[in-house]
Amino acid sequence: MEDMLSWMEEGGQVGICDATNSTRSRRNMLMKMAEGKCKIIFVETICNDQDVLERNIRLKVQQSPDYAEQTDFEAGVRDFKERLAYYEKVYEPVDEGSYIKMIDMVSGNGGQLQINNISGYLPGRIVFFLVNCHLTPRPILLTRHGESLDNVRGRIGGDSSLSEVGEVYSRKLASFVEKRLKSERTASIWTSTLQRTILTAQPIIGFPKIQWRALDEINAGVCDGMTYDEVKKNKPEEYESRRKDKLRYRYPRGESYLDVIQRLEPVIIELERQRAPVVVIAHQAVLRSLYAYFADKPL
């Protein structure tokens, strides 16, 4: 907690103190430590489903470094249950300060969300995110659109249709999706509003298709329609700025990767909410950002 507070004072914005703060006195101590330094929100999850608990315990023993040296799996499970029993003896439910309490929400069949003393933009976004999260496993398939005519010409941006190679790709993708998701009738196909993604999705039948403006390619602003060689020749300072810091570089009257990441937030929340498979047909910068989120890559 002290490490986290000093990091916050050095400019950190959000810290997560992952610990079983199961008594009032412990939580009060944390709130006292944070006074005048940062705001604390307690997040408590309560699960009464014994099957889910058993599955989680076994997953924890299987994956936790605490049990890496333990060769007897069942002995590890017994040890973990003993630790839980100890926590149960001293446990006092959260009812102080700012808190978000999720009760039996894991199955997605109802459950309860209790929030107390939550205000401000970021705490509100945290609540919104937690409401939409669940543990139902499902595939999320990311693919770029088929080759476009502008790709062939090496031009940035634009809204051209597919090349012959791109059309072949769209048919092969349809065949793949129909085989891969044949038993998943509730799956959906998401595209941007640009015709190269819509045309790539066209041969896929049997699934609803949703267009998202937030999935459109990075806006290249004044460089839209140019080749990289033309940018290098006509706007050498822009070419060099982009080469030096691709993440933060913003095209004049266009976007940066950071802008793209920000506009993808509603897409990510909606992807987290989905319980059925989703096929996302989008663009290079957009897919890099989505992939980085799901693969937990640093900014």
Side-chain angles (χ1 to χ4, degrees), residues 42-267:
F42 292 111
V43 179
E44 181 175 26
T45 59
I46 298 170
C47 178
N48 297 302
D49 185 323
Q50 291 307 311
D51 291 341
V52 171
L53 288 172
E54 186 67 28
R55 197 166 68 235
N56 283 359
I57 288 165
R58 290 181 169 275
L59 197 65
K60 178 79 175 171
V61 172
Q62 198 180 331
Q63 296 183 350
S64 171
D66 294 356
Y67 295 99
E69 306 296 313
Q70 174 64 267
T71 50
D72 184 342
F73 181 75
E74 292 304 325
V77 170
R78 285 194 298 276
D79 176 74
F80 192 79
K81 286 181 176 175
E82 280 170 23
R83 284 165 66 183
L84 281 183
Y86 169 75
Y87 281 124
E88 278 174 16
K89 279 182 200 162
V90 298
Y91 164 71
E92 296 165 312
V94 176
D95 58 8
E96 65 282 299
S98 297
Y99 64 78
I100 302 165
K101 196 177 290 205
M102 297 182 290
I103 304 165
D104 291 327
M105 287 183 70
V106 69
S107 65
N109 305 321
Q112 244 187 316
L113 184 82
Q114 294 177 8
I115 60 172
N116 185 65
N117 193 21
I118 297 289
S119 62
Y121 175 77
L122 199 55
R125 300 308 292 165
I126 292 168
V127 171
F128 186 57
F129 181 75
L130 291 174
V131 168
N132 287 293
C133 275
H134 59 83
L135 297 176
T136 309
R138 76 283 184 206
I140 294 166
L141 302 149
L142 306 177
T143 173
R144 213 171 154 196
H145 54 81
E147 182 187 71
S148 73
L149 294 171
D150 277 339
N151 290 150
V152 176
R153 301 178 194 117
R155 302 208 169 274
I156 307 164
D159 190 17
S160 65
S161 59
L162 299 180
S163 69
E164 282 182 24
V165 170
E167 285 171 8
V168 171
Y169 180 75
S170 71
R171 292 193 292 274
K172 289 194 172 185
L173 179 66
S175 168
F176 170 80
V177 168
E178 281 153 25
K179 279 184 201 145
R180 176 76 170 76
L181 302 179
K182 61 178 181 288
S183 58
E184 302 275 5
R185 289 296 98 189
T186 53
S188 56
I189 315 296
W190 296 6
T191 71
S192 73
T193 63
L194 300 170
Q195 63 171 339
R196 53 193 183 273
T197 64
I198 296 165
L199 292 170
T200 303
Q202 208 167 44
I204 304 170
I205 51 168
F207 301 103
K209 291 169 191 163
I210 299 156
Q211 290 178 22
W212 284 80
R213 191 170 291 283
L215 286 174
D216 284 4
E217 181 56 303
I218 189 168
N219 182 345
V222 298
C223 298
D224 192 80
M226 296 169 78
T227 66
Y228 285 116
D229 283 343
E230 286 168 353
V231 175
K232 190 175 184 179
K233 185 179 164 190
N234 301 323
K235 297 183 180 295
E237 67 294 339
E238 296 299 334
Y239 185 88
E240 194 53 30
S241 298
R242 180 176 179 273
R243 192 188 62 77
K244 280 183 182 162
D245 188 356
K246 208 165 168 181
L247 177 70
R248 290 172 187 82
Y249 168 76
R250 180 180 285 129
Y251 286 102
R253 297 210 289 276
E255 289 180 301
S256 68
Y257 264 87
L258 289 178
D259 296 328
V260 171
I261 289 163
Q262 194 169 8
R263 74 160 143 94
L264 282 172
E265 187 194 334
V267 176

